Amino acid sequence: MERRPTSHDVAHLAGVSQSTVSFVLTGRSGISVATRDRVLRAAAELHYRPNLAARSMRTQRTGRLAVVVPIATMNPLTLLSGAISAARDAGYVVEVINLPDEEPDRGGRLSDVVDSGQYEGILSFTPLPAVDTEGGPVVLPVGEFDEAMHMTGEFTDARPITEMITHLAAQGHRRFLHLAGAEEFPSARARREAYVETITRLGLHSLGIVANDWSAAAGAEAIAALPDDAPPLAVIAANDLLATGAIRAAVRRGWRLPDDVAVTGWDDHLQSAFLVPSLTSVAQDRERLGAYSMHRLIAAVRGEDPPQKPERLLAVVWRESTVSPQS
């Protein structure tokens, strides 16, 4: 089946923005004669016809909402689960729609979704390209991730790092090491800053910050490179994979866990509770965040006041990998 040309195709051929195409085809003033002619010629060449029926349906209630996600990145499954459940509880049908990875194609696909007339609202956890939504569905990008699915919203809150270091210091730990994630991640930078601030404020000793990547191998390499007299030591890892590698490397060096080396992680992966010792980590309630984001969209669709923001979505889960060196 031949693909129907979109306003994005017209914009590309005419060398203008999609909003300009929309303005020309809807008779908006302020467009130059030359630009209007280019758009109309491009539309005629492509045999483009705006979906007027869909546009007329935009103000009608369809009972349908959409969540759009990038196609080439990991879908935020727990966020989607929370969002879909919240929408269903409110009486809506939800569709998850993949957007292409490339920016021009992404804009065209989003325009098609907006113009379809099928949805009252569209939710995105990542930034969206600019499209003409005038008179159409509510489009709400909530900004929890960037385009590469790096966390940029609620889950860059690094307060659990401060909480863990403070707790370990109260147990008697004075020497710390931070296994940071890749520096291009906002969450990694936030956790690093919290580590430095807390270590400095409490007058603790840092053996350094190892910034590499998020892998278990990176965690293992960092511990293997420590001097023999590093323990007693508390390792603050930016995720559970780094922490897992640190635990393995410490055991291979003959260091006792958690007596010689205490380790913390982040993400609270399912397997983390079953490591030996079980791993202290940070649980992230992504499902509740997804539900809150969907409640925001529904409120906007219905013209209601936005919902109250949920309280802290992150919590330290204390387990066997953290103990006082004096115990």
Side-chain angles (χ1 to χ4, degrees), residues 19-24 26-37:
S19 59
T20 298
V21 172
S22 176
F23 294 159
V24 169
T26 56
R28 182 78 64 87
S29 61
I31 304 296
S32 70
V33 174
T35 299
R36 189 180 302 277
D37 287 345

Side-chain angles (χ1 to χ4, degrees), residues 54-312:
R55 289 181 182 271
S56 69
M57 290 175 58
R58 290 187 187 184
T59 58
Q60 300 181 11
R61 298 295 184 189
T62 66
R64 299 168 69 86
L65 303 171
V67 180
V68 293
V69 294
I71 196 170
T73 55
M74 178 186 69
N75 291 343
L77 297 179
T78 47
L79 282 168
L80 288 174
S81 175
I84 291 170
S85 295
R88 288 176 176 169
D89 289 344
Y92 289 92
V93 174
V94 180
E95 290 188 21
V96 179
I97 299 172
N98 289 119
L99 296 181
D101 188 43
E102 296 299 323
E103 179 68 24
D105 296 333
R106 185 178 299 182
R109 175 59 174 145
L110 180 60
S111 291
D112 289 343
V113 175
V114 168
D115 287 342
S116 71
Q118 297 182 49
Y119 308 105
E120 295 182 47
I122 300 169
L123 178 68
S124 175
F125 296 109
T126 61
L128 292 175
V131 297
D132 176 25
T133 60
E134 183 177 357
V138 174
V139 178
L140 180 65
V142 294
E144 296 303 333
F145 296 86
D146 64 17
E147 293 178 352
M149 291 305 292
H150 299 162
M151 290 186 294
T152 59
E154 291 291 327
F155 293 144
T156 58
D157 180 0
R159 285 179 293 175
I161 294 290
T162 298
E163 180 181 345
M164 290 187 291
I165 295 174
T166 302
H167 182 82
L168 290 167
Q171 289 181 321
H173 282 281
R174 289 294 177 269
R175 310 182 80 191
F176 288 79
L177 173 72
H178 183 41
L179 304 182
E183 291 186 349
E184 65 266 26
F185 284 72
S187 57
R189 295 195 298 271
R191 291 166 201 173
R192 174 175 181 155
E193 290 170 5
Y195 172 85
V196 171
E197 188 279 329
T198 308
I199 292 294
T200 302
R201 176 169 50 83
L202 297 180
L204 304 171
H205 178 60
S206 175
L207 297 188
I209 297 173
V210 181
N212 195 340
D213 57 38
W214 298 99
S215 69
E221 290 170 4
I223 299 302
L226 290 175
D228 292 337
D229 62 352
L233 172 68
V235 177
I236 308 297
N239 76 349
D240 285 5
L241 289 175
L242 286 163
T244 300
I247 289 173
R248 176 174 174 79
V251 170
R252 289 174 65 89
R253 295 193 66 169
W255 294 343
R256 297 170 302 160
L257 281 86
D259 300 290
D260 296 327
V261 180
V263 181
T264 70
W266 189 295
D267 290 328
D268 195 30
H269 288 167
L270 292 176
Q271 77 276 7
S272 297
F274 297 94
L275 297 175
V276 180
S278 57
L279 179 63
T280 289
S281 189
V282 178
Q284 305 173 102
D285 197 341
R286 296 191 179 197
E287 189 167 352
R288 189 153 60 104
L289 179 59
Y292 165 66
S293 300
M294 181 57 74
H295 287 145
R296 287 175 56 192
L297 176 66
I298 293 171
V301 166
R302 294 176 174 176
E304 300 172 348
D305 292 334
Q308 184 176 357
K309 185 177 180 179
E311 296 183 3
R312 195 171 177 184

